[in-house]
Amino acid sequence: MLLNMLCCRAPLRAMVSFRTLSRGYSGSSFPHQPVPDLSKTLSHYLRSLQPLVSKDELESTRELVEEFLRPGGQGEDLGKQLQKRAERTDNWLTDWRHQAIYLENHLPLPVHSSPAVLLPQRDHKDWRGQLRFASKLISGVLDFKAKIESPDGLTEIWRGHPLCPHQYHDFFGSCREPGYKRDRVLLQPAHKSPSHHVTVCRNYQFFQMDVYNSDGSPLTEDQIHQQMLFLRAHSYKTDKEPVGVLTTDHRNSWGRAYTTLIRDRLNRESVHSIQHSLFTVCLDATALKFSEELYSSRTAAQMLHGGGTHANSGNRWFDKTLQFVVGEDGTCGLIYDQATADASAVLTMLSHVLEYCSRGPRRHLPRTPLTRLPPPKKLYFNFPPETKQHVENAKQNLDILVNDLDICCFTFSDFGKSFPKRHNMRPGAFLQVALQLAYYRCHGSLCATCEVVSLRTFHRGRSDVVRCSSPEALEFVQAADDPSRPAGEKLALLKNAVESHQYATDQVVQGQSVDGALLALKMLCISSGAALPEILMDTSYAVSSHWKLFTGQVSSPIDCVMCYGPLVPDGYSVCFAPSVDSITVCVSAFDCCQETDAQKLSDSLQGALREIQSLILKCQPDEA
């Protein structure tokens, strides 16, 4: 149920600097994530249920909570077990979420799990510009890698607190491996020499391309460009089986196909080359032309899933942690696997790479490597009948998914994050309340809503979620369209809702998460073979964790659009990217559900933002 909910948001806009810090990371310098107080956490849980369940259901759940928390009861025992786990592990939550949310999730990675970041369109319009930019991008990523591995490490500061950089060292050379029951993540072993190559995909063909000289120095941009020209000259044909499509299938289906695929020695060697490469670069063909109005929406969809089997979806290996996409038409972006990477860290990396790419041509002194640089090596695959059938099945499933996804991206230009700030409201909380109003107007009720926040202020911290549907939000949305309620009262209810959401966010950021605690209870029982607590078998829990609205916010110095699919078939995903004077929003839904409509919710959200602005200006004209 909780699929792509951990890392799709970059809620922290951190100040980034490169300064002396041993490898940029010292585990002892970061506080350990605290164990939440179960009594306090379950009290917050009950409050979150009020807008979502009936009074009788709420009262029934309250009785279950009281029984769970009674002295000598199951809650007391599980609380002690959780405290012991926290004392003997680096982070009591991270590994559990990693396992439950990602590795044991059988849905396909594209749309359901791996987010895409759409970057500003480049000014090239042909393959020559594509290869030049791709070469510079690769050089920029290698420059970032060198920074995080140097004695002058990466330090990010958020609200005076450093952010844990642990995950950066897993970005490169890592890959998922599918399994029957669960996936696993393959990381670069610490005792082995690091990989010196990247994987480049073009026309459904995969190449191993070295990016370091024999003496360990990175290739220059010109050297990389020469490698790219060779690669292009040896990948003209498009009549190859799109083996990369296998990675788009359901994870258990891909797990079965994977076992068959790597029985062949040639296939196994090619797959291992991809898995151990530093990252992947996808050289995409020009996509279909779209009107300027539809460009962001259609290009975001292309970036998210590749456009289907007749477009660029075969030009991917979705198991890789980092996949950079560069199109002939100037499109560019990134798809990343959340099992290893969080959005806040990914955006820090992209900010560095784009800054590097914005520099002029770099002059390098001529140098002669110790040994001749080998040309890119094409990776070949054999396709026995069983593997061909697996490819056909994956193609069919992917095209169904691609055709089912509805994405609407727009830029709201009436105001940006500076407006709520001027009125003493946090922009993130302000946008969440506006979204609650928009959903209420479309569906006549509130729904289970989560917003992803970062926990990187803690040692090995990753992400968690805030429950956004509150009693205060319900009061406001019910009053907003009631003509009998005075404007001053509506404004007071708006502020209460915004403050309530900000309080809930602060609690999660401080480690007091409702859903983190509930997951811990579940995992403790599973690991010990004990019966699950009744509160986790309750109807209220099922309703309140069926996230019909999955939301996040991108706070980044770079201009980008982040997109991902809904968590549930009858839900939406909404990602905000607020700037000072505008707000870029990406909304997605599935066409198979007649109750949801991405365009309708987008229109409702813009209307809600305008009406809330009018309400504030009407009541506080002197503060405009």
Side-chain angles (χ1 to χ4, degrees):
M1 186 177 296
L2 308 180
L3 309 179
N4 52 344
M5 59 181 288
L6 289 190
C7 312
C8 288
R9 175 190 176 190
L12 310 179
R13 181 174 181 175
M15 294 177 62
V16 181
S17 62
F18 295 102
R19 62 181 65 171
T20 301
L21 185 66
S22 178
R23 288 188 58 82
Y25 177 66
S26 173
S28 61
S29 65
F30 295 91
H32 282 242
Q33 186 168 330
V35 174
D37 181 307
L38 287 182
S39 178
K40 182 179 178 182
T41 298
L42 290 176
S43 175
H44 291 158
Y45 170 61
L46 290 172
R47 283 194 86 254
S48 75
L49 298 179
Q50 291 181 34
L52 305 176
V53 301
S54 68
K55 291 183 178 180
D56 289 343
E57 289 172 323
L58 181 62
E59 186 57 34
S60 175
T61 303
R62 194 184 308 277
E63 291 174 1
L64 293 177
V65 168
E66 290 174 356
E67 172 63 20
F68 178 77
L69 292 174
R70 68 175 174 80
Q74 190 178 19
E76 184 175 305
D77 179 53
L78 290 175
K80 291 178 181 177
Q81 292 183 42
L82 182 57
Q83 187 63 50
K84 289 180 180 178
R85 174 180 169 84
E87 292 170 358
R88 68 174 185 265
T89 60
D90 288 338
N91 188 298
W92 62 266
L93 177 62
T94 292
D95 290 340
W96 272 343
R97 278 202 173 276
H98 185 247
Q99 174 185 335
I101 307 302
Y102 301 119
L103 302 186
E104 294 181 351
N105 169 27
H106 294 305
L107 289 176
L109 294 185
V111 177
H112 292 289
S113 182
S114 295
V117 183
L118 177 62
L119 298 172
Q121 187 172 23
R122 315 306 298 184
D123 55 9
H124 65 260
K125 298 297 180 184
D126 59 18
W127 66 265
R128 294 176 181 83
Q130 176 191 36
L131 297 190
R132 272 293 176 193
F133 177 72
S135 302
K136 196 171 187 70
L137 182 143
I138 291 172
S139 188
V141 177
L142 296 180
D143 187 69
F144 179 80
K145 181 175 180 291
K147 289 288 187 182
I148 63 173
E149 293 176 350
S150 69
D152 296 334
L154 173 65
T155 302
E156 298 169 276
I157 305 296
W158 177 74
R159 296 183 183 175
H161 300 285
L163 301 183
C164 180
H166 179 270
Q167 63 183 279
Y168 284 115
H169 302 287
D170 294 336
F171 273 20
F172 303 103
S174 58
C175 189
R176 274 213 206 196
E177 183 179 52
Y180 291 116
K181 294 183 178 180
R182 67 169 64 93
D183 290 357
R184 65 172 181 158
V185 176
L186 305 174
L187 299 175
Q188 178 72 46
H191 63 279
K192 289 190 176 181
S193 299
S195 298
H196 281 184
H197 71 277
V198 300
T199 300
V200 181
C201 321
R202 183 174 183 269
N203 285 341
Y204 309 158
Q205 297 163 71
F206 293 79
F207 292 80
Q208 174 181 313
M209 189 178 83
D210 286 351
V211 289
Y212 289 93
N213 290 301
S214 56
D215 62 356
S217 61
L219 300 191
T220 66
E221 293 167 30
D222 286 340
Q223 285 178 303
I224 295 174
H225 184 246
Q226 289 301 312
Q227 297 285 78
M228 286 286 198
L229 290 173
F230 177 93
L231 184 150
R232 183 178 187 276
H234 291 79
S235 57
Y236 279 115
K237 293 184 178 180
T238 58
D239 58 352
K240 306 295 182 183
E241 288 281 1
V243 63
V245 169
L246 290 171
T247 67
T248 70
D249 210 353
H250 288 72
R251 301 307 293 173
N252 47 0
S253 299
W254 169 214
R256 289 190 292 270
Y258 177 81
T259 301
T260 303
L261 183 71
I262 64 172
R263 284 182 193 146
D264 180 275
R265 180 179 177 181
L266 178 67
N267 294 346
R268 185 165 59 251
E269 290 175 351
S270 294
V271 169
H272 287 175
S273 173
I274 296 171
Q275 290 174 332
H276 296 116
S277 63
L278 294 172
F279 52 88
T280 298
V281 178
C282 310
L283 300 177
D284 277 7
T286 299
L288 296 174
K289 298 293 184 182
F290 303 110
S291 65
E292 186 174 343
E293 181 182 359
L294 295 175
Y295 176 81
S296 292
S297 299
R298 297 296 178 263
T299 308
Q302 285 273 334
M303 197 63 61
L304 190 60
H305 49 56
T309 58
H310 297 292
N312 292 302
S313 295
N315 232 35
R316 305 282 188 273
W317 197 269
F318 277 95
D319 291 358
K320 284 299 291 180
T321 300
L322 301 176
Q323 290 193 100
F324 296 91
V325 179
V326 181
E328 282 190 18
D329 57 358
T331 58
C332 68
L334 172 73
I335 309 118
Y336 66 94
D337 178 23
Q338 296 185 96
T340 307
D342 286 343
S344 61
V346 165
L347 291 173
T348 295
M349 176 192 66
L350 285 176
S351 178
H352 177 88
V353 172
L354 290 185
E355 190 278 329
Y356 181 97
C357 291
S358 68
R359 304 172 192 168
R362 308 194 75 184
R363 294 183 178 275
H364 297 274
L365 294 175
R367 59 190 311 278
T368 303
L370 299 180
T371 60
R372 184 182 179 87
L373 184 67
K377 174 186 175 183
K378 182 179 285 191
L379 303 178
Y380 291 95
F381 292 88
N382 290 322
F383 292 92
E386 189 176 2
T387 296
K388 284 189 176 182
Q389 188 58 54
H390 286 147
V391 170
E392 289 304 312
N393 293 341
K395 288 165 68 175
Q396 293 176 16
N397 293 335
L398 174 66
D399 285 339
I400 291 171
L401 178 61
V402 167
N403 292 329
D404 192 28
L405 184 67
D406 179 25
I407 287 187
C408 179
C409 296
F410 64 91
T411 297
F412 179 80
S413 55
D414 290 34
F415 61 85
K417 61 184 178 182
S418 61
F419 176 75
K421 282 184 176 180
R422 287 201 304 271
H423 296 273
N424 300 315
M425 287 182 272
R426 292 269 186 89
F430 175 88
L431 291 173
Q432 286 296 329
V433 174
L435 180 59
Q436 295 292 304
L437 177 58
Y439 184 92
Y440 184 83
R441 286 174 170 174
C442 288
H443 297 278
S445 63
L446 295 187
C447 68
T449 308
C450 70
E451 180 186 21
V452 182
V453 296
S454 176
L455 298 182
R456 289 181 59 210
T457 54
F458 299 119
H459 176 45
R460 288 193 64 230
R462 293 289 302 271
S463 302
D464 210 334
V465 294
V466 179
R467 291 182 167 229
C468 305
S469 301
S470 65
E472 292 80 6
L474 181 61
E475 283 188 80
F476 168 67
V477 301
Q478 289 176 334
D481 293 327
D482 186 347
S484 67
R485 310 285 283 271
E489 181 185 356
K490 293 180 182 180
L491 180 61
L493 292 174
L494 168 67
K495 290 186 174 182
N496 285 343
V498 171
E499 290 172 3
S500 173
H501 181 82
Q502 190 56 53
Y503 174 77
T505 301
D506 291 342
Q507 288 295 299
V508 176
V509 169
Q510 293 166 16
Q512 302 297 316
S513 161
V514 169
D515 290 277
L518 294 176
L519 176 63
L521 300 179
K522 177 181 177 180
M523 299 302 285
L524 285 169
C525 291
I526 290 174
S527 62
S528 65
L532 291 178
E534 288 294 322
I535 55 176
L536 298 181
M537 307 294 287
D538 185 33
T539 302
S540 295
Y541 176 69
V543 170
S544 69
S545 57
H546 184 76
W547 306 115
K548 289 188 176 183
L549 267 179
F550 170 53
T551 73
Q553 179 182 323
V554 175
S555 290
S556 172
I558 63 174
D559 181 15
C560 66
V561 176
M562 183 172 285
C563 57
Y564 35 83
L567 287 181
V568 295
D570 56 344
Y572 300 91
S573 75
V574 181
C575 186
F576 296 101
S579 62
V580 174
D581 298 317
S582 65
I583 305 165
T584 300
V585 186
C586 188
V587 180
S588 73
F590 290 118
D591 282 336
C592 65
C593 179
Q594 296 182 353
E595 299 173 5
T596 57
D597 186 323
Q599 185 63 58
K600 183 178 179 181
L601 182 63
S602 298
D603 293 341
S604 180
L605 177 58
Q606 293 182 73
L609 288 169
R610 291 189 180 102
E611 290 178 34
I612 290 176
Q613 181 192 35
S614 297
L615 173 66
I616 293 173
L617 294 179
K618 179 179 180 180
C619 297
Q620 299 176 336
D622 295 337
E623 299 180 29

